């Protein structure tokens, strides 16, 4: 677990904390299936992971796929966003989260 958030994590956290995004209750750095996920909405079984450029390598990408498979096995939905997408287009990222949570059109 890390105490200091990246710029992208802080930007997203400011949008989703305290039920700010359509009333969804997110937790930060929550343990799930043996991993610590960036953000989780337990009520909707929704995980949000943010990835930096190091995740573009083949080795890390394969590791991320295995991690995602383990996280989704108990019924969670995992979303992955690039840090750059959060920084440049937070509205679209939040829209994807709302859709995945099943709140689109609510």
């Amino acid at each position: 677990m890390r105490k200091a958030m990246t710029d992208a994590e802080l930007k997203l956290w400011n949008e989703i904390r305290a039920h700010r995004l359509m009333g969804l209750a997110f937790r930060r750095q929550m343990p799930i299936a043996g991993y610590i996920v960036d953000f989780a909405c337990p009520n909707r079984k929704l995980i949000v992971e943010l990835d930096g450029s190091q995740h573009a390598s083949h080795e890390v990408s394969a590791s991320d796929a295995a991690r995602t498979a383990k996280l989704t096995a108990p019924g969670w939905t995992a979303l992955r966003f690039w840090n750059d997408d959060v920084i440049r287009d937070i509205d679209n990222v939040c829209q994807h989260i709302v859709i995945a949570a099943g709140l689109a059109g609510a």
Side-chain angles (χ1 to χ4, degrees), residues 1-103:
M1 289 181 62
R2 293 176 291 110
K3 290 185 181 189
M5 287 190 269
T6 65
D7 290 343
E9 288 171 337
L10 183 58
K11 186 165 187 163
L12 181 60
W13 183 237
N14 284 331
E15 294 292 323
I16 65 175
R17 71 183 177 92
H19 306 269
R20 290 179 180 172
L21 183 63
M22 301 289 292
L24 295 168
F26 277 91
R27 291 178 53 195
R28 205 179 141 258
Q29 294 194 333
M30 183 174 155
I32 300 172
Y35 294 99
I36 303 292
V37 301
D38 293 332
F39 305 101
C41 179
N43 295 344
R44 299 290 176 153
K45 292 195 86 165
L46 181 63
I47 295 166
V48 178
E49 294 275 75
L50 302 185
D51 296 334
S53 59
Q54 71 276 14
H55 290 263
S57 77
H58 178 69
E59 297 81 22
V60 177
S61 180
S63 174
D64 286 344
R67 174 184 168 110
T68 298
K70 205 168 173 191
L71 290 169
T72 57
W76 288 81
T77 297
L79 302 177
R80 298 189 88 87
F81 298 101
W82 293 106
N83 287 344
D84 192 55
D85 290 336
V86 172
I87 298 296
R88 294 178 187 258
D89 193 5
I90 189 68
D91 292 338
N92 195 35
V93 168
C94 288
Q95 181 180 4
H96 277 82
I97 293 169
V98 167
I99 290 167
L103 297 177

